[in-house]
Amino acid sequence: LTLVYQPVIREILTGGYAAIVITTESKFIANLALVLLGKLRGFSVLYWGFGYHPPRGARESDAPNPAMLKLTTAIKRAFTRLSDGFIAYTKSGAERLVAGGYPADRTFFVQNTIDMSEQLRLYEAERGTDKQAIRREFGLRPDSVVFTFIGRLVPIKRVDQLIEAVRRINANRLSRRPVEAVIIGDGLCMPDLKAQARDVSGIHFLGRLPPNDEVARCLKVSAASVVAGMVGLVANHALAHGCPVITRELDTHSP
């Protein structure tokens, strides 16, 4: 992974903090330094993360480099043991952490999710909205099957596979109805994905959007939310709107 130095060390060392919370990502070398400096300067350092180390590759790829994975996992485990506490995303992540030998009395979890009450409110608010009006709003065909992707446009999400699936289904007439895809998000893969979709009809890029009423309307007309790669909070988001999630079985999924 690309090494990233965060120029926050000076602020923390001179700011009189009693405790700090940092992520477990080994690429942030400032975080690693802060774990050690915390011991010397007397402030507590808590980690925030999955509670385990999923196999991830460079640049958020779903094809991890075995040597790199072994090295980064060893670094994460060593520095996790030095931390004063660990806040896991989920209860299951906390349980895996404790099962691996981390002290239970220093392990916590906070259900890492989006505001589900707000999503349920948005779902109810859009229940009476005309579906054809929504389709016109987003430039969708009146009779198509719509798949929606929500997330960062990075390699590990494999949005390229969704675009290729739409191309094959429509080109080979594998569906009785035309298939379209709405892609919500932004990221380093955006230029390549737009180039890939240039000759694929029915691909709609909406860019980065907050989880608002606009996204709620997209989900209302969607047959499913599709993530060919790693699934994260989109599962919570889509299911709050009664929208199924299609994905693959992967070790890289978030908890």
Side-chain angles (χ1 to χ4, degrees):
L1 292 174
T2 305
L3 295 179
V4 179
Y5 176 76
Q6 299 159 292
V8 71
I9 290 182
R10 183 176 179 180
E11 163 65 23
I12 291 173
L13 294 181
T14 59
Y17 295 98
I20 61 170
V21 180
I22 59 178
T23 69
T24 57
E25 295 177 83
S26 57
K27 67 181 177 184
F28 294 123
I29 55 177
N31 285 358
L32 304 180
L34 285 169
V35 174
L36 301 174
L37 290 170
K39 299 294 183 184
L40 296 175
R41 300 296 292 270
F43 58 83
S44 299
V45 178
L46 292 88
Y47 266 129
W48 159 256
F50 290 149
Y52 61 94
H53 310 301
R56 301 273 173 87
R59 301 292 284 180
E60 302 205 54
S61 167
D62 62 354
N65 179 299
M68 183 189 70
L69 180 63
K70 185 176 182 180
L71 174 63
T72 57
T73 298
I75 292 171
K76 291 176 183 179
R77 286 177 176 169
F79 279 84
T80 296
R81 287 194 295 270
L82 291 174
S83 66
D84 298 289
F86 199 107
I87 306 170
Y89 290 171
T90 62
K91 183 179 180 181
S92 61
E95 290 170 345
R96 287 181 64 168
L97 183 67
V98 172
Y102 196 81
D105 62 343
R106 298 193 342 236
T107 303
F108 316 93
F109 69 91
V110 179
Q111 291 299 125
N112 182 34
T113 185
I114 61 176
D115 186 341
M116 298 298 284
S117 296
E118 172 66 4
Q119 292 309 307
L120 293 172
R121 186 194 69 77
L122 288 170
Y123 168 73
E124 289 295 335
E126 298 294 341
R127 288 188 73 170
T129 307
D130 179 66
K131 289 186 176 182
Q132 288 303 322
I134 295 174
R135 287 176 174 271
R136 289 191 296 272
E137 176 185 355
F138 295 111
L140 299 167
R141 296 178 55 154
D143 60 339
S144 64
V145 176
V146 179
F147 294 126
T148 296
F149 169 86
I150 305 172
R152 293 174 299 139
L153 303 186
V154 293
I156 202 168
K157 297 292 188 176
R158 299 313 304 264
V159 183
D160 58 309
Q161 292 188 359
L162 172 59
I163 295 173
E164 176 63 14
V166 172
R167 186 191 67 78
R168 292 189 187 186
I169 291 170
N170 290 334
N172 299 320
R173 300 184 181 276
L174 302 179
S175 171
R176 285 175 293 181
R177 294 163 58 190
V179 172
E180 296 186 90
V182 174
I183 297 173
I184 300 172
D186 200 356
L188 61 92
C189 291
M190 175 71 92
D192 290 340
L193 294 172
K194 283 190 172 181
Q196 178 190 357
R198 193 171 292 127
D199 63 345
V200 182
S201 62
I203 305 296
H204 306 266
F205 290 91
L206 299 190
R208 183 177 180 180
L209 294 174
N212 60 8
D213 55 339
E214 194 172 0
V215 179
R217 290 194 294 279
C218 285
L219 292 173
K220 181 178 175 67
V221 297
S222 298
S225 176
V226 177
V227 186
M230 183 199 75
V231 168
L233 294 178
V234 67
N236 311 56
H237 192 170
L239 293 175
H241 293 263
C243 186
V245 178
I246 298 175
T247 188
R248 295 182 295 145
E249 184 177 0
L250 293 172
D251 292 334
T252 51
H253 285 317
S254 299

